[in-house]
Each structure stands twice: as structure tokens, then as C-alpha cells.
Amino acid sequence: MSHRAMILGAMATGTTEVEGLLEGDDVLATARAAEAFGARVERLGEGRWRVTGRGGLMSPPGTIDFGNAGTGVRLLMGAAAGYTLSATFDGDASLRKRPMGRVTDHLERMGARFDWSGAKGLLPATLTGGRLMAIDHVQTVASAQVKSAILLAGLNAEGVTSVTEPEKSRDHTERMLRAFGAEVEVDDAGEGWVIRLKGGQQLRGTSVAVPGDPSSAAFPLAAGLLVPGSEVTVAGVMLNSLRTGLFDTWCEMGADLTVSNRRVAGGEEVGDITARHSTLNGVVVPEGRAASMIDEYPILAATAAFAKGQTVMRGVGEMRVKESDRIRLMVDGLRGCGVSVEEEPEGFIVSGSSVPGGATVHTAHDHRIAMSHLVLGMAAQRPVTVDEPEMIATSFPGFVEMMRSLGGAIT
């Protein structure tokens, strides 16, 4: 939601006030990109930002470096494609390995052009936008990034753009587009839905309150479940049903997880979640739940290492094309800590018990791999070490300090 607030604010006419912005390195990269595309971006205080848009995007003065921000680069590719401009997108070594074709192929169907400096589908890439035509797209993999890029491009395409999702992905873009004044039609078709958006709509600046991120809240809550004697409450966490798959899974595993003070903030349901030390049991995670928790499988795997029996996680091949091959890295890290893990092409199975720990885990610059193994180390028999901890700041600045304040021993 922080990425989307910055991007839609830059596309809009007028001023957008944002509260609760997640000030991780990834979001800050998107903020810098929004400024490069012509918006005025100001930090007013902790989590408080103002974006003043010109009613459209303009060609940036140079190459835009998105660092490790996969969400930022893919969504801004879609947003920028609808304007008559040229822009070069790049990122760090990790982002350069992540597939962009899953977004750019569809934008090219709409009329955008991408020129690749190296291998097709990998950054850096130069976009030439404008004169788009609407498309009807059917998702084969539940991906909010792909859906969002197409919808953002559709704002400035001729005709009605539609995205059909047989399996629902997170709907933050649809909700926020409405907050910015766009008309977005959603036809619920049971398990899936169809989203339609007419081109030629102008966004208007608004106020955005960003709820607490379930992906970030997962780490202190997991520590609360695993460390004996613990009770941890995280306030103001988003409870959108398309983002709570991890919490549902933990409850099925027997977690003592409660939600209080439910309320609405920024158009999203939020609440305060309390986790208490629990005895967990392995479960088979429904494959259809993957879209609602794809970023949370690493921390789920860490908690599954302490559960009695097997936790089966399948239908999560998308994990292999995140910041790293998260299936491979979690398998390697857990095995190094003495956990029995079976790797599959599209998933993995963790057989839980007590965890010896004691490993040094290779994270491949992946923040979620690092945080998941640090939480694992808090409950393991011996300390767990991760390399490249600086990457944690991409999504969770202050993670180490916060966990220390709860009693976690991180050095």
C-alpha cells in the first residue's frame, strides 16, 4: 500500500497526504522514482509524507534505480506505460535477476515498447509509453503485481481494460484507485473475480492511511509463538482477508492467536493481534491460500520447524522468483539448523521437532530469509547466524532494535 500511495499520488492531480508509510528502502526507492517522474515528494515526519502530482507522469531525467524494489518497478512500469514518455528502469544485482516479462509482455500487448540492454525480460530496460489500447487479460498465476501494472496502464488506455482472476490476489490497487476517484468495477465470481477499468480517468489527490503490514507483523508474532513465556501484541495490523492466510494457517496449527479492537483505517479492516507461546502441530496448507500469504511462507517454514509432525506447503513455485529462490534458501537454512525438510519443484515439506540451530545461513540478499532465520534462532537450541543482515532494511527498518526491545538477543 505504501508503494501504491506514492505511485497513485504521483499520477494524480493535487496533493496526497500519506500516514503510516512503511519507510523501508524499497518504498523509499519508489518515492525517489515518483519524484523523478515529476511529482513533488516531501517527508513531513515519521511515516508522514506528502505527494503533489501534476496530473500525469513525465520523462525522468536519467535512469531510475529501484534498488531491490520489485513491487515498485513493476507497478511504475505499468503506470508510466500510459504516458507519452521514455524512462529507463534498473535495480541492484538481485532485482536484475527477477523476471520483468510477466509484466512487460502484457504492457507491450497494450502498445508500450520495451528495449532491453541485456537479456530480454531482465533489467535494465527502457520504456517508450503512450497510445495504449485496452486489453482483456486472464491471470494464469495469482499476481497482484501483474494485475496492478495492467490496471494502472489501463487508466490511460483507449477502451475498457479487464483482468480476470480465477484465483483472487490482494486487492489493494482496486481499493486505492477508488480512493483516488477512479471508477473500478469488480464482478465477484465466487473463487475469482473480474476487474474492469475504463481508460481516460483522472486521479485526484487524497488522504491515505497505511495500516500495519501483515508481512512485517509476522516476525514478532512468530517469535511470540515460539519463545516460551512470550506474549506479543502488534497493533493496527491489516486484516484484509486476501492478506491473512498466514494467520489462518497458524490458527489451524494450534496457535494461541487472538484479534482485538477491530476497526477500519484507510478503507481496510485492521486490528490488534496478540500471539502467545503455543504448541504447534503440522498441517497441510491449502494450495489456494498461497496468493494470500506468498511472502509469509519463509516465516511459516520457520515456525513449522517447531511444530509436531509435517507441514506441507505446495503450489508455491512463485517463491522461486522472488528476491531469491526462497524455497531453496529456506530448505538449505533449515537443514543447516538440523531440521528435516523435503524439497519439491513447487513447494516443500517441513518435519518439525526441536531445532538444534547453530548454522550460519546464506540469505542471498533476501530480507525475509534473514528475518525468518533470526526468529528461528530465538527458539533454537543454539544461536543462528545470517549473512548480509543489512538487506533487512529493504522492508523492515528497525527490525533488530524492535526485536531486542521485546527481549530477543540479536548481536
Side-chain angles (χ1 to χ4, degrees):
M1 287 187 67
S2 294
H3 288 290
R4 289 161 173 80
M6 283 291 168
I7 293 168
L8 295 183
M11 299 173 73
T13 297
T15 300
T16 296
E17 302 279 352
V18 185
E19 295 278 350
L21 190 89
L22 177 62
E23 295 179 332
D25 289 349
D26 283 2
V27 173
L28 297 181
T30 297
R32 291 190 295 271
E35 196 165 38
F37 275 107
R40 183 181 180 187
V41 180
E42 306 166 86
R43 185 179 189 271
L44 306 179
E46 185 174 353
R48 296 177 51 245
W49 290 68
R50 177 183 295 137
V51 183
T52 305
R54 300 169 175 262
L57 305 182
M58 57 189 294
S59 296
T63 297
I64 302 177
D65 183 358
F66 280 85
N68 195 241
T71 297
V73 69
R74 290 186 177 124
L75 267 58
L76 255 170
M77 282 179 168
Y83 298 96
T84 304
L85 57 75
S86 177
T88 299
F89 299 82
D90 202 357
D92 65 12
S94 174
L95 193 60
R96 283 187 170 194
K97 295 177 183 178
R98 298 178 67 181
M100 297 294 133
R102 61 199 317 179
V103 165
T104 60
D105 288 350
H106 306 305
L107 298 177
E108 287 181 328
R109 285 174 54 207
M110 300 177 79
R113 189 178 83 240
F114 287 88
D115 297 311
W116 307 94
S117 299
K120 179 176 173 59
L122 298 177
L123 297 178
T126 298
L127 160 71
T128 302
R131 298 184 179 179
L132 301 189
M133 299 295 295
I135 61 171
D136 297 315
H137 173 65
V138 179
Q139 296 265 62
T140 56
V141 176
S143 171
Q145 291 183 0
V146 174
K147 172 180 65 177
S148 299
I150 293 171
L151 292 176
L152 293 178
L155 280 172
N156 291 293
E158 183 178 339
V160 177
T161 295
S162 72
V163 178
T164 300
E165 290 193 297
E167 188 176 315
K168 295 178 179 178
S169 68
R170 59 189 64 177
D171 62 350
H172 305 317
T173 297
E174 297 95 302
R175 290 171 179 261
M176 198 175 290
L177 279 169
R178 291 193 184 103
F180 277 83
E183 294 184 6
V184 182
E185 177 184 337
V186 179
D187 291 334
D188 199 327
E191 290 298 316
W193 49 26
V194 181
I195 306 99
R196 296 184 182 89
L197 180 149
K198 185 178 181 180
Q201 300 190 58
Q202 179 60 57
L203 303 180
R204 301 183 300 275
T206 188
S207 297
V208 178
V210 180
D213 179 16
S215 298
S216 297
F219 297 104
L221 292 173
L225 295 177
L226 296 180
V227 178
S230 296
E231 179 176 319
V232 175
T233 299
V234 182
V237 181
M238 179 192 294
L239 298 176
N240 183 316
S241 62
L242 297 174
R243 294 293 306 281
T244 57
L246 174 65
F247 306 146
D248 295 337
T249 303
W250 275 343
C251 289
E252 291 168 3
M253 296 172 75
D256 185 350
L257 204 70
T258 57
V259 180
S260 60
N261 192 22
R262 290 179 181 266
R263 55 202 185 274
V264 175
E268 298 277 1
E269 184 181 4
V270 303
D272 304 338
I273 303 180
T274 299
R276 301 174 185 87
H277 176 243
S278 303
T279 299
L280 303 177
N281 296 294
V283 296
V284 177
V285 184
E287 293 188 23
R289 193 174 286 169
S292 70
M293 55 181 291
I294 193 63
D295 288 330
E296 284 79 72
Y297 277 92
I299 189 59
L300 172 60
T303 54
F306 297 89
K308 181 180 179 180
Q310 291 188 332
T311 298
V312 181
M313 294 163 278
R314 292 191 170 117
V316 293
E318 178 80 2
M319 289 178 68
R320 295 198 184 274
V321 292
K322 289 289 187 176
E323 284 85 334
S324 66
D325 181 343
R326 286 180 171 167
I327 293 177
R328 163 52 53 186
L329 288 178
M330 285 307 301
V331 168
D332 288 348
L334 291 175
R335 284 176 177 167
C337 291
V339 180
S340 176
V341 189
E342 180 183 344
E343 181 178 359
E344 298 180 348
E346 298 290 318
F348 53 123
I349 302 170
V350 176
S351 297
S353 62
S354 60
V355 178
T360 295
V361 177
H362 174 56
T363 62
H365 305 282
D366 193 317
H367 50 121
R368 299 199 193 280
I369 299 299
M371 288 186 283
S372 297
H373 282 97
L374 288 172
V375 170
L376 180 100
M378 293 178 190
Q381 295 170 18
R382 297 192 301 277
V384 175
T385 301
V386 300
D387 65 357
E388 301 172 321
E390 66 277 0
M391 293 304 294
I392 291 172
T394 61
S395 69
F396 201 154
F399 167 80
V400 171
E401 291 77 11
M402 187 204 67
M403 296 306 292
R404 283 175 177 165
S405 74
L406 297 175
I410 303 180
T411 58

mmCIF file of all heavy atoms in Angstrom, residues 20-66:
data_model
loop_
_atom_site.group_PDB
_atom_site.id
_atom_site.type_symbol
_atom_site.label_atom_id
_atom_site.label_comp_id
_atom_site.label_asym_id
_atom_site.label_seq_id
_atom_site.Cartn_x
_atom_site.Cartn_y
_atom_site.Cartn_z
ATOM 1 N N GLY A 20 1.453 6.719 8.011
ATOM 2 C CA GLY A 20 1.825 5.327 8.255
ATOM 3 C C GLY A 20 2.638 4.695 7.149
ATOM 4 O O GLY A 20 2.687 3.459 7.047
ATOM 5 N N LEU A 21 3.289 5.494 6.317
ATOM 6 C CA LEU A 21 4.092 4.933 5.228
ATOM 7 C C LEU A 21 5.187 4.027 5.794
ATOM 8 O O LEU A 21 5.859 4.371 6.766
ATOM 9 C CB LEU A 21 4.732 6.057 4.420
ATOM 10 C CG LEU A 21 5.396 5.599 3.103
ATOM 11 C CD1 LEU A 21 4.378 5.635 1.968
ATOM 12 C CD2 LEU A 21 6.596 6.468 2.742
ATOM 13 N N LEU A 22 5.351 2.854 5.188
ATOM 14 C CA LEU A 22 6.422 1.950 5.578
ATOM 15 C C LEU A 22 7.728 2.470 4.984
ATOM 16 O O LEU A 22 7.944 2.392 3.772
ATOM 17 C CB LEU A 22 6.131 0.534 5.072
ATOM 18 C CG LEU A 22 7.209 -0.514 5.347
ATOM 19 C CD1 LEU A 22 7.428 -0.705 6.839
ATOM 20 C CD2 LEU A 22 6.837 -1.836 4.691
ATOM 21 N N GLU A 23 8.611 2.999 5.822
ATOM 22 C CA GLU A 23 9.804 3.691 5.334
ATOM 23 C C GLU A 23 10.984 2.734 5.171
ATOM 24 O O GLU A 23 12.107 3.018 5.587
ATOM 25 C CB GLU A 23 10.143 4.857 6.261
ATOM 26 C CG GLU A 23 9.063 5.934 6.249
ATOM 27 C CD GLU A 23 9.371 7.096 7.175
ATOM 28 O OE1 GLU A 23 10.088 6.887 8.185
ATOM 29 O OE2 GLU A 23 8.912 8.218 6.892
ATOM 30 N N GLY A 24 10.737 1.600 4.534
ATOM 31 C CA GLY A 24 11.808 0.694 4.176
ATOM 32 C C GLY A 24 12.521 1.172 2.918
ATOM 33 O O GLY A 24 12.025 2.047 2.189
ATOM 34 N N ASP A 25 13.680 0.587 2.645
ATOM 35 C CA ASP A 25 14.460 1.013 1.489
ATOM 36 C C ASP A 25 13.686 0.857 0.190
ATOM 37 O O ASP A 25 13.812 1.674 -0.735
ATOM 38 C CB ASP A 25 15.765 0.206 1.405
ATOM 39 C CG ASP A 25 16.750 0.575 2.503
ATOM 40 O OD1 ASP A 25 16.517 1.587 3.196
ATOM 41 O OD2 ASP A 25 17.752 -0.156 2.673
ATOM 42 N N ASP A 26 12.869 -0.201 0.071
ATOM 43 C CA ASP A 26 12.105 -0.426 -1.159
ATOM 44 C C ASP A 26 11.117 0.710 -1.411
ATOM 45 O O ASP A 26 11.012 1.224 -2.528
ATOM 46 C CB ASP A 26 11.352 -1.751 -1.087
ATOM 47 C CG ASP A 26 12.248 -2.954 -1.315
ATOM 48 O OD1 ASP A 26 13.469 -2.767 -1.486
ATOM 49 O OD2 ASP A 26 11.724 -4.090 -1.324
ATOM 50 N N VAL A 27 10.378 1.097 -0.385
ATOM 51 C CA VAL A 27 9.393 2.166 -0.546
ATOM 52 C C VAL A 27 10.083 3.500 -0.802
ATOM 53 O O VAL A 27 9.617 4.312 -1.614
ATOM 54 C CB VAL A 27 8.477 2.252 0.686
ATOM 55 C CG1 VAL A 27 7.570 3.475 0.609
ATOM 56 C CG2 VAL A 27 7.636 0.983 0.803
ATOM 57 N N LEU A 28 11.208 3.730 -0.158
ATOM 58 C CA LEU A 28 11.948 4.976 -0.401
ATOM 59 C C LEU A 28 12.445 5.041 -1.834
ATOM 60 O O LEU A 28 12.499 6.127 -2.430
ATOM 61 C CB LEU A 28 13.111 5.091 0.584
ATOM 62 C CG LEU A 28 12.718 5.183 2.068
ATOM 63 C CD1 LEU A 28 13.965 5.330 2.938
ATOM 64 C CD2 LEU A 28 11.757 6.348 2.311
ATOM 65 N N ALA A 29 12.798 3.881 -2.414
ATOM 66 C CA ALA A 29 13.193 3.861 -3.823
ATOM 67 C C ALA A 29 12.016 4.253 -4.711
ATOM 68 O O ALA A 29 12.177 4.996 -5.691
ATOM 69 C CB ALA A 29 13.706 2.473 -4.206
ATOM 70 N N THR A 30 10.818 3.787 -4.379
ATOM 71 C CA THR A 30 9.631 4.171 -5.138
ATOM 72 C C THR A 30 9.327 5.652 -4.967
ATOM 73 O O THR A 30 8.919 6.330 -5.918
ATOM 74 C CB THR A 30 8.429 3.318 -4.692
ATOM 75 O OG1 THR A 30 8.694 1.944 -4.989
ATOM 76 C CG2 THR A 30 7.154 3.733 -5.416
ATOM 77 N N ALA A 31 9.556 6.188 -3.775
ATOM 78 C CA ALA A 31 9.352 7.625 -3.546
ATOM 79 C C ALA A 31 10.289 8.448 -4.425
ATOM 80 O O ALA A 31 9.874 9.449 -5.025
ATOM 81 C CB ALA A 31 9.561 7.951 -2.074
ATOM 82 N N ARG A 32 11.552 8.032 -4.499
ATOM 83 C CA ARG A 32 12.501 8.744 -5.362
ATOM 84 C C ARG A 32 12.088 8.643 -6.833
ATOM 85 O O ARG A 32 12.221 9.607 -7.596
ATOM 86 C CB ARG A 32 13.907 8.198 -5.166
ATOM 87 C CG ARG A 32 14.514 8.522 -3.793
ATOM 88 C CD ARG A 32 15.995 8.179 -3.748
ATOM 89 N NE ARG A 32 16.229 6.750 -3.874
ATOM 90 C CZ ARG A 32 16.282 5.901 -2.847
ATOM 91 N NH1 ARG A 32 16.084 6.339 -1.608
ATOM 92 N NH2 ARG A 32 16.508 4.609 -3.040
ATOM 93 N N ALA A 33 11.567 7.479 -7.219
ATOM 94 C CA ALA A 33 11.121 7.303 -8.599
ATOM 95 C C ALA A 33 9.925 8.199 -8.903
ATOM 96 O O ALA A 33 9.853 8.807 -9.978
ATOM 97 C CB ALA A 33 10.769 5.839 -8.844
ATOM 98 N N ALA A 34 8.986 8.300 -7.969
ATOM 99 C CA ALA A 34 7.831 9.175 -8.171
ATOM 100 C C ALA A 34 8.278 10.614 -8.396
ATOM 101 O O ALA A 34 7.737 11.338 -9.242
ATOM 102 C CB ALA A 34 6.901 9.083 -6.961
ATOM 103 N N GLU A 35 9.292 11.029 -7.653
ATOM 104 C CA GLU A 35 9.838 12.374 -7.817
ATOM 105 C C GLU A 35 10.501 12.526 -9.182
ATOM 106 O O GLU A 35 10.350 13.551 -9.851
ATOM 107 C CB GLU A 35 10.830 12.653 -6.692
ATOM 108 C CG GLU A 35 11.170 14.112 -6.509
ATOM 109 C CD GLU A 35 11.851 14.365 -5.177
ATOM 110 O OE1 GLU A 35 12.671 13.511 -4.746
ATOM 111 O OE2 GLU A 35 11.569 15.409 -4.561
ATOM 112 N N ALA A 36 11.217 11.481 -9.618
ATOM 113 C CA ALA A 36 11.874 11.534 -10.930
ATOM 114 C C ALA A 36 10.855 11.645 -12.054
ATOM 115 O O ALA A 36 11.132 12.245 -13.106
ATOM 116 C CB ALA A 36 12.743 10.295 -11.129
ATOM 117 N N PHE A 37 9.660 11.089 -11.850
ATOM 118 C CA PHE A 37 8.608 11.165 -12.871
ATOM 119 C C PHE A 37 7.832 12.471 -12.805
ATOM 120 O O PHE A 37 6.844 12.651 -13.513
ATOM 121 C CB PHE A 37 7.650 9.975 -12.739
ATOM 122 C CG PHE A 37 8.107 8.739 -13.452
ATOM 123 C CD1 PHE A 37 8.583 7.650 -12.744
ATOM 124 C CD2 PHE A 37 8.063 8.660 -14.839
ATOM 125 C CE1 PHE A 37 8.996 6.493 -13.392
ATOM 126 C CE2 PHE A 37 8.474 7.517 -15.500
ATOM 127 C CZ PHE A 37 8.945 6.428 -14.776
ATOM 128 N N GLY A 38 8.238 13.407 -11.946
ATOM 129 C CA GLY A 38 7.678 14.753 -11.971
ATOM 130 C C GLY A 38 6.876 15.174 -10.772
ATOM 131 O O GLY A 38 6.469 16.343 -10.683
ATOM 132 N N ALA A 39 6.636 14.280 -9.822
ATOM 133 C CA ALA A 39 5.871 14.663 -8.635
ATOM 134 C C ALA A 39 6.771 15.354 -7.620
ATOM 135 O O ALA A 39 7.992 15.176 -7.621
ATOM 136 C CB ALA A 39 5.230 13.438 -8.006
ATOM 137 N N ARG A 40 6.162 16.115 -6.748
ATOM 138 C CA ARG A 40 6.890 16.678 -5.615
ATOM 139 C C ARG A 40 6.642 15.779 -4.413
ATOM 140 O O ARG A 40 5.486 15.533 -4.046
ATOM 141 C CB ARG A 40 6.420 18.097 -5.312
ATOM 142 C CG ARG A 40 7.211 18.761 -4.177
ATOM 143 C CD ARG A 40 6.687 20.152 -3.887
ATOM 144 N NE ARG A 40 7.422 20.793 -2.803
ATOM 145 C CZ ARG A 40 7.092 21.959 -2.250
ATOM 146 N NH1 ARG A 40 6.024 22.609 -2.696
ATOM 147 N NH2 ARG A 40 7.806 22.464 -1.273
ATOM 148 N N VAL A 41 7.695 15.255 -3.814
ATOM 149 C CA VAL A 41 7.576 14.301 -2.723
ATOM 150 C C VAL A 41 8.277 14.867 -1.495
ATOM 151 O O VAL A 41 9.460 15.210 -1.552
ATOM 152 C CB VAL A 41 8.188 12.937 -3.106
ATOM 153 C CG1 VAL A 41 8.067 11.949 -1.952
ATOM 154 C CG2 VAL A 41 7.507 12.384 -4.362
ATOM 155 N N GLU A 42 7.539 14.967 -0.364
ATOM 156 C CA GLU A 42 8.089 15.556 0.855
ATOM 157 C C GLU A 42 7.838 14.623 2.043
ATOM 158 O O GLU A 42 6.743 14.089 2.202
ATOM 159 C CB GLU A 42 7.416 16.895 1.152
ATOM 160 C CG GLU A 42 7.448 17.900 0.023
ATOM 161 C CD GLU A 42 6.482 19.031 0.272
ATOM 162 O OE1 GLU A 42 6.889 20.001 0.964
ATOM 163 O OE2 GLU A 42 5.328 18.952 -0.185
ATOM 164 N N ARG A 43 8.853 14.483 2.882
ATOM 165 C CA ARG A 43 8.688 13.761 4.151
ATOM 166 C C ARG A 43 8.374 14.780 5.236
ATOM 167 O O ARG A 43 9.153 15.704 5.487
ATOM 168 C CB ARG A 43 9.947 12.981 4.505
ATOM 169 C CG ARG A 43 9.802 12.113 5.762
ATOM 170 C CD ARG A 43 11.089 11.345 6.055
ATOM 171 N NE ARG A 43 10.916 10.350 7.123
ATOM 172 C CZ ARG A 43 11.082 10.597 8.416
ATOM 173 N NH1 ARG A 43 11.445 11.826 8.823
ATOM 174 N NH2 ARG A 43 10.906 9.641 9.322
ATOM 175 N N LEU A 44 7.236 14.624 5.899
ATOM 176 C CA LEU A 44 6.789 15.584 6.901
ATOM 177 C C LEU A 44 7.125 15.143 8.314
ATOM 178 O O LEU A 44 7.129 15.960 9.238
ATOM 179 C CB LEU A 44 5.276 15.786 6.777
ATOM 180 C CG LEU A 44 4.748 16.187 5.390
ATOM 181 C CD1 LEU A 44 3.240 16.322 5.426
ATOM 182 C CD2 LEU A 44 5.410 17.474 4.903
ATOM 183 N N GLY A 45 7.378 13.860 8.501
ATOM 184 C CA GLY A 45 7.661 13.306 9.820
ATOM 185 C C GLY A 45 7.672 11.798 9.701
ATOM 186 O O GLY A 45 7.563 11.248 8.605
ATOM 187 N N GLU A 46 7.796 11.102 10.826
ATOM 188 C CA GLU A 46 7.868 9.654 10.782
ATOM 189 C C GLU A 46 6.584 9.062 10.191
ATOM 190 O O GLU A 46 5.499 9.211 10.755
ATOM 191 C CB GLU A 46 8.085 9.080 12.189
ATOM 192 C CG GLU A 46 8.282 7.572 12.191
ATOM 193 C CD GLU A 46 8.629 7.048 13.567
ATOM 194 O OE1 GLU A 46 8.852 7.867 14.484
ATOM 195 O OE2 GLU A 46 8.660 5.821 13.726
ATOM 196 N N GLY A 47 6.717 8.427 9.026
ATOM 197 C CA GLY A 47 5.574 7.816 8.356
ATOM 198 C C GLY A 47 4.633 8.786 7.680
ATOM 199 O O GLY A 47 3.642 8.375 7.060
ATOM 200 N N ARG A 48 4.912 10.098 7.757
ATOM 201 C CA ARG A 48 4.036 11.120 7.192
ATOM 202 C C ARG A 48 4.691 11.742 5.962
ATOM 203 O O ARG A 48 5.771 12.323 6.054
ATOM 204 C CB ARG A 48 3.721 12.201 8.230
ATOM 205 C CG ARG A 48 2.945 11.708 9.426
ATOM 206 C CD ARG A 48 2.726 12.823 10.455
ATOM 207 N NE ARG A 48 2.171 14.030 9.835
ATOM 208 C CZ ARG A 48 2.798 15.202 9.765
ATOM 209 N NH1 ARG A 48 4.028 15.338 10.283
ATOM 210 N NH2 ARG A 48 2.232 16.235 9.199
ATOM 211 N N TRP A 49 4.012 11.611 4.828
ATOM 212 C CA TRP A 49 4.558 12.087 3.558
ATOM 213 C C TRP A 49 3.485 12.847 2.786
ATOM 214 O O TRP A 49 2.291 12.619 2.964
ATOM 215 C CB TRP A 49 5.060 10.912 2.717
ATOM 216 C CG TRP A 49 6.291 10.253 3.274
ATOM 217 C CD1 TRP A 49 6.380 9.528 4.439
ATOM 218 C CD2 TRP A 49 7.595 10.263 2.713
ATOM 219 N NE1 TRP A 49 7.664 9.092 4.624
ATOM 220 C CE2 TRP A 49 8.433 9.514 3.590
ATOM 221 C CE3 TRP A 49 8.148 10.818 1.557
ATOM 222 C CZ2 TRP A 49 9.781 9.318 3.323
ATOM 223 C CZ3 TRP A 49 9.492 10.619 1.287
ATOM 224 C CH2 TRP A 49 10.292 9.887 2.165
ATOM 225 N N ARG A 50 3.954 13.738 1.933
ATOM 226 C CA ARG A 50 3.067 14.479 1.031
ATOM 227 C C ARG A 50 3.571 14.309 -0.400
ATOM 228 O O ARG A 50 4.759 14.510 -0.668
ATOM 229 C CB ARG A 50 3.014 15.959 1.403
ATOM 230 C CG ARG A 50 2.157 16.805 0.451
ATOM 231 C CD ARG A 50 2.185 18.273 0.825
ATOM 232 N NE ARG A 50 1.566 18.495 2.133
ATOM 233 C CZ ARG A 50 2.056 19.292 3.064
ATOM 234 N NH1 ARG A 50 3.200 19.952 2.854
ATOM 235 N NH2 ARG A 50 1.425 19.460 4.213
ATOM 236 N N VAL A 51 2.657 13.951 -1.293
ATOM 237 C CA VAL A 51 2.979 13.823 -2.712
ATOM 238 C C VAL A 51 2.095 14.785 -3.486
ATOM 239 O O VAL A 51 0.865 14.737 -3.369
ATOM 240 C CB VAL A 51 2.749 12.384 -3.219
ATOM 241 C CG1 VAL A 51 3.166 12.262 -4.682
ATOM 242 C CG2 VAL A 51 3.504 11.378 -2.363
ATOM 243 N N THR A 52 2.700 15.659 -4.244
ATOM 244 C CA THR A 52 1.948 16.611 -5.061
ATOM 245 C C THR A 52 2.136 16.235 -6.526
ATOM 246 O O THR A 52 3.246 16.310 -7.069
ATOM 247 C CB THR A 52 2.426 18.057 -4.824
ATOM 248 O OG1 THR A 52 2.350 18.354 -3.424
ATOM 249 C CG2 THR A 52 1.569 19.039 -5.604
ATOM 250 N N GLY A 53 1.057 15.775 -7.145
ATOM 251 C CA GLY A 53 1.122 15.308 -8.533
ATOM 252 C C GLY A 53 0.759 16.376 -9.539
ATOM 253 O O GLY A 53 0.070 17.348 -9.212
ATOM 254 N N ARG A 54 1.203 16.163 -10.769
ATOM 255 C CA ARG A 54 0.953 17.105 -11.869
ATOM 256 C C ARG A 54 -0.210 16.652 -12.747
ATOM 257 O O ARG A 54 -0.454 17.237 -13.796
ATOM 258 C CB ARG A 54 2.197 17.225 -12.750
ATOM 259 C CG ARG A 54 3.450 17.736 -12.031
ATOM 260 C CD ARG A 54 4.668 17.567 -12.916
ATOM 261 N NE ARG A 54 5.875 18.143 -12.325
ATOM 262 C CZ ARG A 54 6.357 19.342 -12.628
ATOM 263 N NH1 ARG A 54 5.726 20.095 -13.511
ATOM 264 N NH2 ARG A 54 7.451 19.799 -12.052
ATOM 265 N N GLY A 55 -0.876 15.569 -12.349
ATOM 266 C CA GLY A 55 -1.930 15.048 -13.201
ATOM 267 C C GLY A 55 -1.405 14.103 -14.255
ATOM 268 O O GLY A 55 -2.109 13.803 -15.232
ATOM 269 N N GLY A 56 -0.203 13.619 -14.092
ATOM 270 C CA GLY A 56 0.396 12.697 -15.047
ATOM 271 C C GLY A 56 1.887 12.585 -14.788
ATOM 272 O O GLY A 56 2.451 13.330 -13.982
ATOM 273 N N LEU A 57 2.511 11.639 -15.475
ATOM 274 C CA LEU A 57 3.941 11.423 -15.328
ATOM 275 C C LEU A 57 4.689 11.998 -16.523
ATOM 276 O O LEU A 57 4.144 12.104 -17.617
ATOM 277 C CB LEU A 57 4.241 9.918 -15.211
ATOM 278 C CG LEU A 57 3.495 9.169 -14.096
ATOM 279 C CD1 LEU A 57 3.930 7.711 -14.057
ATOM 280 C CD2 LEU A 57 3.695 9.837 -12.748
ATOM 281 N N MET A 58 5.952 12.363 -16.310
ATOM 282 C CA MET A 58 6.787 12.903 -17.370
ATOM 283 C C MET A 58 8.084 12.121 -17.435
ATOM 284 O O MET A 58 8.434 11.385 -16.508
ATOM 285 C CB MET A 58 7.076 14.382 -17.113
ATOM 286 C CG MET A 58 7.732 14.661 -15.772
ATOM 287 S SD MET A 58 7.826 16.423 -15.377
ATOM 288 C CE MET A 58 8.949 16.975 -16.649
ATOM 289 N N SER A 59 8.809 12.255 -18.524
ATOM 290 C CA SER A 59 10.069 11.527 -18.696
ATOM 291 C C SER A 59 11.056 11.923 -17.612
ATOM 292 O O SER A 59 11.305 13.113 -17.394
ATOM 293 C CB SER A 59 10.677 11.808 -20.071
ATOM 294 O OG SER A 59 9.840 11.331 -21.106
ATOM 295 N N PRO A 60 11.617 10.948 -16.890
ATOM 296 C CA PRO A 60 12.611 11.266 -15.863
ATOM 297 C C PRO A 60 13.924 11.704 -16.489
ATOM 298 O O PRO A 60 14.224 11.357 -17.641
ATOM 299 C CB PRO A 60 12.758 9.949 -15.098
ATOM 300 C CG PRO A 60 12.347 8.896 -16.060
ATOM 301 C CD PRO A 60 11.323 9.503 -16.957
ATOM 302 N N PRO A 61 14.738 12.451 -15.749
ATOM 303 C CA PRO A 61 15.984 12.987 -16.316
ATOM 304 C C PRO A 61 17.074 11.948 -16.528
ATOM 305 O O PRO A 61 18.031 12.192 -17.245
ATOM 306 C CB PRO A 61 16.407 14.031 -15.281
ATOM 307 C CG PRO A 61 15.783 13.578 -13.999
ATOM 308 C CD PRO A 61 14.490 12.946 -14.384
ATOM 309 N N GLY A 62 16.993 10.803 -15.909
ATOM 310 C CA GLY A 62 18.032 9.782 -16.046
ATOM 311 C C GLY A 62 17.484 8.421 -15.684
ATOM 312 O O GLY A 62 16.284 8.241 -15.482
ATOM 313 N N THR A 63 18.367 7.441 -15.602
ATOM 314 C CA THR A 63 17.962 6.091 -15.231
ATOM 315 C C THR A 63 17.430 6.078 -13.799
ATOM 316 O O THR A 63 17.999 6.697 -12.906
ATOM 317 C CB THR A 63 19.151 5.126 -15.345
ATOM 318 O OG1 THR A 63 19.574 5.086 -16.716
ATOM 319 C CG2 THR A 63 18.779 3.722 -14.890
ATOM 320 N N ILE A 64 16.331 5.351 -13.583
ATOM 321 C CA ILE A 64 15.746 5.236 -12.249
ATOM 322 C C ILE A 64 16.242 3.939 -11.621
ATOM 323 O O ILE A 64 16.024 2.855 -12.157
ATOM 324 C CB ILE A 64 14.214 5.224 -12.312
ATOM 325 C CG1 ILE A 64 13.706 6.492 -12.996
ATOM 326 C CG2 ILE A 64 13.633 5.125 -10.909
ATOM 327 C CD1 ILE A 64 12.211 6.527 -13.167
ATOM 328 N N ASP A 65 16.898 4.058 -10.479
ATOM 329 C CA ASP A 65 17.422 2.907 -9.759
ATOM 330 C C ASP A 65 16.433 2.517 -8.667
ATOM 331 O O ASP A 65 16.247 3.247 -7.697
ATOM 332 C CB ASP A 65 18.786 3.243 -9.154
ATOM 333 C CG ASP A 65 19.429 2.067 -8.439
ATOM 334 O OD1 ASP A 65 18.797 0.991 -8.369
ATOM 335 O OD2 ASP A 65 20.553 2.224 -7.940
ATOM 336 N N PHE A 66 15.790 1.361 -8.821
ATOM 337 C CA PHE A 66 14.809 0.897 -7.862
ATOM 338 C C PHE A 66 15.421 0.043 -6.759
ATOM 339 O O PHE A 66 14.680 -0.497 -5.921
ATOM 340 C CB PHE A 66 13.707 0.101 -8.570
ATOM 341 C CG PHE A 66 12.675 0.965 -9.233
ATOM 342 C CD1 PHE A 66 12.878 1.449 -10.519
ATOM 343 C CD2 PHE A 66 11.510 1.316 -8.586
ATOM 344 C CE1 PHE A 66 11.936 2.244 -11.135
ATOM 345 C CE2 PHE A 66 10.565 2.121 -9.185
ATOM 346 C CZ PHE A 66 10.771 2.585 -10.469
#
